[in-house]
Amino acid sequence: MNMAKQARLAAVALLAIGAVAGCAKDDTSTTTDSGVKLIKSGAIVTCTHLPYAPFQSKDASGKVVGFDVALIDLVATKLSVTQEIVDTPFEGIKSGADLNSGKCDVAAAGMTITDERKQVLDFSDPYFDATQALNTLPGKEVKTLEELKGKRIGVQGGTTGDDYIKAQVKEKSLDLEVVAYKDLAALQQALATNQVAAAVGDLPVWNDYIKANPGKAVVTAGFDTGEQYGFAVKKGNAELLKAVNDAISASRTDGTYDKIYAEWIGEKPAA
């Protein structure tokens, strides 16, 4: 092989190496002193879907606050890091895609623990007992789904409220049109503008909406579905899951959980 050809091959090789290096993604992951691996140094990154007050929403300054946020802050403190929040569609959260792709370390989105979701996510111990609520405009109250015969009922797509109503319609052969909306804000707007006769969703979320928007809606009935919320981590991330469970358990013991509950939810139900 002559010298000129060797030089050309060497140049091509160097360009190839440079291209690979240029395309490589910087590894910003870190492992805490307690052995918990996080995707970003100095932070625990949380995936959520906004708005979902009182669990997570933006305040007047644009800061994301809420019940879930405050609880994950306890985990961050335990790990000596800060919490960073990523707003992302709920589908990517519940499917495990966001955690698997390294978009975040933990999912905190007012998410009900279900057997289906357990197939793709590792859930923390339950941190909140949830109830579904039936909501209407003031003056148009109904107490049962049967009273909505021939009408439209709204739900947030992909949620357990969506699943519950569709199951009830099928089981009882109800003459109802179930309309799924992409997020809570769209669902609440649909009810406010008479696009649907009623809406179903998590009780504390609707209580918060009614408190902030007097006269826009009323809770007319509740459905005790036995749901519980959990935080989620990537399948197999046992160290982070333990850190989450330990932080929540400690907060229940020292009274911090009750204080956070009172601030964001209200009076805690009697045990």
Side-chain angles (χ1 to χ4, degrees):
M1 183 181 295
N2 61 43
M3 295 297 292
K5 188 172 183 180
Q6 284 182 325
R8 286 197 300 272
L9 289 175
V12 170
L14 286 172
L15 285 172
I17 293 171
V20 171
C23 293
K25 183 179 179 180
D26 291 338
D27 184 6
T28 60
S29 64
T30 186
T31 301
T32 67
D33 292 340
S34 55
V36 176
K37 187 172 182 179
L38 300 173
I39 64 171
K40 184 176 181 180
S41 180
I44 181 170
V45 181
T46 301
C47 276
T48 194
H49 182 53
L50 302 173
Y52 207 66
F55 297 96
Q56 52 270 329
S57 61
K58 291 183 179 180
D59 65 12
S61 70
K63 181 181 179 182
V64 179
V65 297
F67 186 65
D68 284 6
V69 178
L71 290 178
I72 296 298
D73 273 342
L74 300 180
V75 181
T77 298
K78 177 180 176 61
L79 298 176
S80 300
V81 298
T82 58
Q83 179 180 187
E84 293 187 9
I85 296 173
V86 176
D87 181 20
T88 186
F90 188 65
E91 180 58 39
I93 295 174
K94 73 169 188 173
S95 68
D98 289 335
L99 290 166
N100 290 335
S101 67
K103 181 181 286 189
C104 50
D105 298 296
V106 62
M111 182 163 55
T112 301
I113 301 169
T114 68
D115 289 339
E116 181 181 2
R117 292 171 183 173
K118 283 181 180 179
Q119 300 302 310
V120 293
L121 301 166
D122 279 346
F123 278 101
S124 69
D125 295 333
Y127 69 90
F128 185 82
D129 295 332
T131 299
Q132 294 295 319
L134 179 65
N135 310 272
T136 69
L137 293 177
K140 297 185 178 181
E141 293 89 342
V142 295
K143 295 291 185 182
T144 66
L145 296 177
E146 286 78 4
E147 294 175 67
L148 293 166
K149 181 179 179 180
K151 298 181 180 180
R152 290 156 55 95
I153 185 169
V155 295
Q156 182 178 344
T159 65
T160 49
D162 182 9
D163 295 339
Y164 176 77
I165 292 302
K166 287 177 179 175
Q168 288 293 300
V169 168
K170 183 177 180 180
E171 179 183 325
K172 298 179 179 180
S173 299
L174 298 175
D175 180 17
L176 281 177
E177 181 185 353
V178 182
V179 185
Y181 293 88
K182 67 177 182 177
D183 56 36
L184 178 65
L187 173 59
Q188 290 169 337
Q189 178 67 12
L191 179 63
T193 55
N194 280 299
Q195 296 176 50
V196 292
V200 169
D202 290 356
L203 176 61
V205 174
W206 280 91
N207 280 341
D208 188 86
Y209 171 74
I210 291 167
K211 182 179 178 181
N213 300 275
K216 287 290 185 70
V218 290
V219 174
T220 62
F223 306 117
D224 187 1
T225 55
E227 296 176 41
Q228 293 182 305
Y229 288 173
F231 299 122
V233 301
K234 182 179 178 179
K235 271 287 191 183
N237 194 345
E239 293 80 9
L240 179 55
L241 188 63
K242 183 178 185 301
V244 172
N245 283 333
D246 287 350
I248 303 307
S249 177
S251 74
R252 291 184 184 275
T253 300
D254 66 19
T256 304
Y257 177 92
D258 288 348
K259 292 177 182 177
I260 294 173
Y261 193 104
E263 179 181 358
W264 292 107
I265 308 297
E267 183 178 352
K268 194 170 182 291

